[in-house]
Amino acid sequence: MAEALIHPSAVIDPAAKIGEDCEIGPFCVVGPEVTLGRGVVLKSHVVVTGNTEIGDETQIFSFASIGEVPQDRKFKGESTRLVIGARNRIREHVTMNPGTEGGGGITRVGDDGLFLAGSHVAHDCQVGNRVTIVNHAALAGHCVVEDDVTIGGLAGVHQFVRIGRGAMIGALTMVTADVIPFGLVQGPRGQLDGLNFVGLKRRGASREELHALRNMLSRLGEGSFRDTARQMADEETGPMVREVLDFILGPSDRSFLAPHS
């Protein structure tokens, strides 16, 4: 293992923990409570501050601001954290904030994510693995984004919204309610516009699974999501349908986006 390669113009607090094989480029700033895992790359002009942990081999591009105080009026300077997993690519001008006391005190980002230029992950968000957030899309505080979600460019996700595994949010969409796993949401005021069949096929879903999901969505559109899901809960279903039903019946601070009529 090689020592970290640090440009002479970078400002690194002596208390920061810098892993082996890290590369820290020109004019970067790294604060005293920061931990960088093995092989982390900060390209140039990157600010990493606060109580922030960044996992192995994550790359952060120019002018990103990671770990700065939450953009929340209720934040009073309490000690909170931002934990980012391994092998993420965090592009130019991305902002990610730590948690708040009222939201559990921690913002988490999983592994293998792609966060394109100008995207934002707000305080207390819980973001899964292999998530893609496209240019200038934003997560408000307390959102939960499960694995394999794609959020299109300039989309906005309201605070406390949950987005289920494998869902896709179209560009320029405002999401104000929970999105079921594998859902496809698009439009200025987002509506559930079917299922993310492209993503499901890419992940190897069978014809039978796709057919079962399509039938489930048709039934859910006939009434209240939760009432219908309760009726379906005792039926024999495959694992993907069961995942959607469990998501609908789980705890939430929001309603659900209804299917497009």
Side-chain angles (χ1 to χ4, degrees):
M1 293 292 183
E3 293 184 2
L5 181 62
I6 301 174
H7 192 275
S9 65
V11 179
I12 313 295
D13 192 283
K17 297 179 176 64
I18 309 299
E20 295 177 320
D21 295 317
C22 287
E23 297 180 22
I24 301 178
F27 305 106
C28 292
V29 178
V30 179
E33 297 182 281
V34 171
T35 299
L36 303 183
R38 177 182 52 79
V40 169
V41 176
L42 310 183
K43 292 287 190 175
S44 72
H45 299 84
V46 174
V47 175
V48 185
T49 188
N51 188 345
T52 298
E53 177 182 333
I54 298 176
D56 295 349
E57 300 179 17
T58 285
Q59 298 183 18
I60 305 180
F61 288 70
S62 302
F63 303 103
S65 177
I66 307 300
E68 192 52 270
V69 297
Q71 299 172 60
D72 184 349
R73 291 181 182 272
K74 299 185 295 299
F75 183 72
K76 303 301 182 185
E78 60 266 26
S79 178
T80 58
R81 301 175 63 205
L82 168 64
V83 177
I84 298 171
R87 299 176 303 280
N88 289 286
R89 286 174 289 165
I90 300 172
R91 296 304 305 248
E92 298 81 358
H93 298 280
V94 168
T95 51
M96 295 184 178
N97 298 146
T100 63
E101 184 176 28
I106 187 166
T107 302
R108 290 188 184 275
V109 174
D111 300 333
D112 300 299
L114 176 59
F115 302 86
L116 296 187
S119 58
H120 175 61
V121 177
H123 59 89
D124 304 297
C125 285
Q126 309 297 311
V127 179
N129 302 318
R130 300 175 301 280
V131 168
T132 299
I133 302 184
V134 180
N135 304 69
H136 300 286
L139 302 178
H142 311 278
C143 291
V144 176
V145 179
E146 296 186 352
D147 295 348
D148 301 304
V149 167
T150 298
I151 300 176
L154 296 165
V157 182
H158 198 282
Q159 60 189 15
F160 294 102
V161 161
R162 299 182 303 149
I163 300 180
R165 182 172 75 94
M168 174 171 283
I169 310 301
L172 297 166
T173 298
M174 180 63 197
V175 182
T176 58
D178 288 352
V179 179
I180 61 172
F182 318 117
L184 173 62
V185 172
Q186 54 191 349
R189 279 286 174 175
Q191 291 182 297
L192 186 62
D193 199 16
L195 296 171
N196 181 16
F197 286 113
V198 172
L200 285 163
K201 290 175 183 177
R202 285 175 178 169
R203 284 186 287 275
S206 67
R207 183 185 299 271
E208 291 75 18
E209 287 172 323
L210 297 177
H211 182 70
L213 286 166
R214 186 180 286 109
N215 287 341
M216 173 211 65
L217 186 63
S218 176
R219 290 181 62 182
L220 288 172
E222 296 172 357
S224 161
F225 265 34
R226 286 196 175 92
D227 288 346
T228 307
R230 289 190 191 98
Q231 294 171 14
M232 298 175 65
D234 295 330
E235 299 177 10
E236 189 71 28
T237 61
M240 284 188 167
V241 171
R242 175 57 55 186
E243 181 176 346
V244 177
L245 296 178
D246 289 345
F247 183 93
I248 292 170
L249 296 174
S252 175
D253 293 307
R254 294 275 162 192
S255 58
F256 286 87
L257 290 177
H260 184 72
S261 58

